[in-house]
Amino acid sequence: EDQVTQSPEALRLQEGESSSLNCSYTVSGLRGLFWYRQDPGKGPEFLFTLYSAGEEKEKERLKATLTKKESFLHITAPKPEDSATYLCAANAGNNRKLIWGLGTSLAVNP
Amino acid sequence: KAGVTQTPRYLIKTRGQQVTLSCSPISGHRSVSWYQQTPGQGLQFLFEYFSETQRNKGNFPGRFSGRQFSNSRSEMNVSTLELGDSALYLCASSLGQERGQPQHFGDGTRLSIL
């Protein structure tokens, strides 16, 4: 069964303390791995798409990487405004459905 | 470029009533997907419409239905509301999901059932 698992569920960092969020996936025929950021009371905001193992994408303090089994979202020198829930989703197989993880709630303290 | 617009933002209903939620996708996007989001279950896929046709469906009862119009705007209907239907309902649009095109979300409709 297609599945996406994110860890940790919650993470608290001090401002400037770099860390990584994990997204493990077991899907058949990956057609794209997506990262989103969601703020309270808002819809998810698209961050990155990764298509194949070895691919990397960067945006400001965020860098997403992909292997054949997992994806990492690296946060370098985070700021309080990076506090949010980070979601990953895998687009699998021919049915085009997105399989979503439950997210990692990130809090960055000043 | 305008984003995905969902109306209304908040809705309070009682058990047994029905509700219709509306979604206007990003201009040029032909695919619209609907999700239910609750704290414990995360994002649960309801259905996807592409060019007025339902292309995918999640595991929700028949009380949940939707449709898409020729201008790609979409509506979702829930009949005979239950307490467990309280959730944030999100709409997302994309060009068409070929080779994993990203979905772009609205800010949702918060539905509360009393």
Side-chain angles (χ1 to χ4, degrees), chain A residues 31-32 34 36 38 41-46 49 51-52 87 91 95-98 100-102, chain B residues 9 35 37 40-43 45 55-57 90 97-107:
Chain A
R31 297 165 66 89
F34 302 87
Y36 287 82
Q38 186 172 23
K42 300 279 192 178
E45 174 190 350
F46 170 69
T49 308
Y51 291 109
S52 56
L87 298 164
N91 185 199
N95 64 10
R96 302 185 189 87
K97 284 184 183 179
L98 281 181
W100 291 85
L102 294 180
Chain B
R9 286 297 315 277
Y35 294 89
Q37 187 176 36
Q41 300 289 322
L43 276 161
F45 172 73
R55 190 160 71 170
N56 258 316
K57 189 176 188 303
L90 291 162
Q97 289 221 26
E98 293 304 322
R99 197 173 182 254
Q101 289 167 350
Q103 295 182 348
H104 299 272
F105 286 81
D107 284 337

Side-chain angles (χ1 to χ4, degrees), chain A residues 20-91:
Chain A
S20 297
L21 313 182
N22 178 266
C23 172
S24 297
Y25 64 92
T26 51
V27 301
S28 53
L30 183 73
R31 297 165 66 89
L33 189 292
F34 302 87
W35 282 98
Y36 287 82
R37 168 197 171 122
Q38 186 172 23
D39 294 298
K42 300 279 192 178
E45 174 190 350
F46 170 69
L47 293 173
F48 304 109
T49 308
L50 300 166
Y51 291 109
S52 56
E55 189 174 359
E56 299 182 353
K57 294 266 180 82
E58 282 189 73
K59 180 181 178 180
E60 296 180 358
R61 295 177 293 282
L62 300 178
K63 179 180 176 180
T65 62
L66 182 66
T67 72
K68 289 186 177 180
K69 293 184 179 181
E70 56 193 349
S71 178
F72 292 93
L73 185 65
H74 307 277
I75 304 176
T76 303
K79 298 181 177 182
E81 53 261 42
D82 295 322
S83 298
T85 295
Y86 291 85
L87 298 164
C88 76
N91 185 199

